[in-house]
Amino acid sequence: MRTQGTPMKNAGAVVSNHLSWLDIFALNVRKRIYFVSKSEVAGWPGIGTLAKITGTVFITRDPRQAQQQTQIFESRLLEGHKLLFFPEGTSTDGMRVLPFKSTLFEAFFSQTLRSEMYIQAVSLVYTAPHGEDARFYGWWGDMEFAPHVLKVLAQAPQGEITIIYHPPVKVDDFPNRKALAGHLAQVVRAGMPPERQKT
């Protein structure tokens, strides 16, 4: 594993592109962070257990619960927890960065948080083991969890992951959640190799 840049010390959250179940562990190496995930993940075999072990904050994607979720975010952030979420909304094969969904960013614009919070963009760049498909570490679509875990753990020698920590931005410097999400997506995409900078 290689790292570039420095994990932020400010209060706030971390956002990243999303390739695999490996992302959570890689991003926890340098700094303790708490993953934000949709509530369905808690019931998934294997990955649900891993999510619970790492202190995941589970949320329900229901507009009627937006206020409650904002309160959960506020309490965790004000306690000093770093929250991690993947704004693409799904994992990919790692060959591109999808547009960032802006919904979860709304919580950071509450009057309680807006002037205090920072968000740090992180680019995750996986390099497949020699001779393997460039998408080796990606876990996406209808791929099953257990076979993917076994394939990755059995691999020798392994490939590499580069974690690029970009300078954090202050939430208050952006007019709304869409502007913030768009900016962070551009930053994450710019950290990828040129052939992976497409949407």
Side-chain angles (χ1 to χ4, degrees):
M1 187 179 75
R2 304 171 187 270
T3 61
Q4 299 176 21
T6 305
M8 73 173 182
K9 296 181 180 179
N10 310 86
V14 175
V15 297
S16 169
N17 56 313
H18 188 24
L19 293 86
S20 169
W21 49 272
L22 287 164
D23 300 345
I24 300 171
F25 299 102
L27 289 165
N28 261 311
V29 169
R30 293 281 301 274
K31 181 78 174 175
R32 183 73 172 101
I33 52 180
Y34 296 89
F35 176 48
V36 177
S37 176
K38 58 186 179 182
S39 58
E40 303 95 280
V41 172
W44 291 1
I47 192 67
T49 301
L50 289 175
K52 291 173 185 175
I53 290 171
T54 55
T56 295
V57 179
F58 293 106
I59 60 170
T60 302
R61 293 181 176 178
D62 184 342
R64 293 171 296 181
Q65 298 190 29
Q67 184 175 0
Q68 180 184 357
Q69 290 170 10
T70 297
Q71 291 173 350
I72 292 171
F73 269 39
E74 285 185 6
S75 63
R76 294 290 291 265
L77 289 164
L78 292 172
E79 286 175 12
H81 290 182
K82 293 285 190 302
L83 298 183
L84 161 69
F85 60 100
F86 301 114
E88 290 171 293
T90 186
S91 55
T92 73
D93 61 5
M95 297 297 103
R96 60 183 176 149
V97 176
L98 300 176
F100 281 9
K101 299 179 185 302
S102 65
T103 306
L104 288 180
F105 290 97
E106 182 63 33
F108 298 96
F109 284 86
S110 73
Q111 292 303 312
T112 307
L113 297 178
R114 182 169 185 158
S115 62
E116 305 294 329
M117 293 293 114
Y118 289 76
I119 299 185
Q120 182 168 41
V122 176
S123 300
L124 297 178
V125 183
Y126 286 84
T127 302
H130 180 71
E132 296 289 344
D133 188 305
R135 303 170 297 172
F136 179 82
Y137 290 111
W139 180 62
W140 76 98
D142 59 358
M143 295 172 71
E144 294 186 13
F145 177 67
H148 191 264
V149 170
L150 292 174
K151 180 184 79 168
V152 169
L153 295 182
Q155 176 63 36
Q158 288 284 351
E160 296 180 353
I161 177 173
T162 301
I163 304 175
I164 304 170
Y165 295 93
H166 300 284
V169 297
K170 193 171 185 181
V171 171
D172 219 16
D173 288 341
F174 294 84
N176 53 56
R177 71 184 192 190
K178 291 187 177 181
L180 177 59
H183 171 79
L184 293 167
Q186 290 180 348
V187 172
V188 171
R189 196 171 291 119
M192 306 299 287
E195 67 274 12
R196 301 186 192 182
Q197 292 184 6
K198 57 188 177 182
T199 56

